[in-house]
Amino acid sequence: MSDSISSRIPPLIKNFGFGMFCLGATLALGVVLSSQSIGYAIVKMKNSVAPIQVKGLAEMEIVSDRATWRGTVRARAKTLAQAFEILETGSTKLRAMILAFKFSEDEINACEVDTSIVYAKNSKGEYTNVIESYVLSQGTTIRTLNVQAIRDLAFRATDLIKEGVEIDSGSPSYYVSILESIKLTLLEKATENGYERASLLARGSKSEVGNLMSASQGVFQIVPVGSTDISDYGVSDTSTIHKTMKAVVTLAYEIR
């Protein structure tokens, strides 16, 4: 290398070589870029705030507007003819009581007659082929909008026992026909309640509620008024006329 060129090369390059100089420069540049990336990540982390998650609750008292009831008359006798005659008498008395509560014919459905045979037992307690008696039963079902009348009928039907009628009076089932409309109303109210909760928590930390990030709907609970029963699969009470319907939503909001 000529003296004129050599004089223009810095001493560091002359001592360690050009390759080592390039390596050192590359490492220095990498350190600078890494420092910038780390700094950007720290700034981004500081600006990223975990969302606030809340539950919104809403409930409403509802009244059943549909009901069903089933009563079953039974008859027992030594012969099939006698059993049928007893059953017919009992079913006639039940029907008269039903009509007395002002139910219409199209609300009443009499089921087919069910027949079973009771066989006698011998001295060892074993069943034989000897017929001891016949048992006939017939159910009558009512589906109506008159929920008060169903409640009263279910309570009074067993009065027929005093008249010699063997009857089982089932528990009425009460339903609400506009559940879907009520569900939408409750979801709206539960969402509003959740936003209010989030806003309250945000104000307490000198922040503001931002955009909604996620929302999920819980199961609906339909319980008797005053009940605190809940279930992971939802409760759907049919035993009472007056009920409480509850809705829960889970919401996550940005915090600014």
Side-chain angles (χ1 to χ4, degrees), residues 76-87:
R76 308 166 192 269
K78 292 287 186 181
T79 68
L80 191 58
Q82 290 173 335
F84 185 80
E85 183 178 351
I86 296 171
L87 179 70

Side-chain angles (χ1 to χ4, degrees), residues 100-227:
F101 279 91
K102 308 302 182 183
F103 292 107
S104 62
E105 292 288 348
D106 59 352
E107 294 176 318
I108 306 170
N109 179 38
C111 304
E112 66 278 0
V113 175
D114 182 67
T115 304
S116 61
I117 301 174
V118 178
Y119 291 95
K121 293 181 179 181
N122 59 25
S123 59
K124 297 180 180 180
E126 300 170 338
Y127 284 104
T128 67
N129 293 327
V130 178
I131 296 176
E132 184 176 272
S133 63
Y134 292 89
V135 179
L136 305 184
S137 62
Q138 183 177 37
T140 300
T141 302
I142 300 176
R143 294 180 176 84
T144 182
L145 303 180
N146 193 342
V147 295
Q148 297 294 337
I150 279 286
R151 184 191 63 180
D152 296 339
L153 172 62
F155 181 76
R156 292 288 306 278
T158 51
D159 288 352
L160 292 175
I161 296 175
K162 301 174 185 177
E163 301 180 29
V165 178
E166 184 179 342
I167 181 172
D168 289 336
S169 177
S171 298
S173 296
Y174 303 102
Y175 305 94
V176 179
S177 61
I178 57 170
L179 279 183
E180 290 306 314
S181 174
I182 296 174
K183 286 180 180 180
L184 293 177
T185 300
L186 283 177
L187 284 177
E188 181 179 4
K189 290 182 177 296
T191 302
E192 292 174 355
N193 178 258
Y195 181 79
E196 290 173 2
R197 290 169 182 258
S199 299
L200 180 63
L201 292 173
R203 285 198 302 271
S205 60
K206 308 302 181 183
S207 302
E208 293 182 354
V209 175
N211 295 326
L212 178 65
M213 300 179 64
S214 67
S216 62
Q217 170 191 320
V219 295
F220 290 93
Q221 314 283 347
I222 304 174
V223 299
V225 173
S227 172

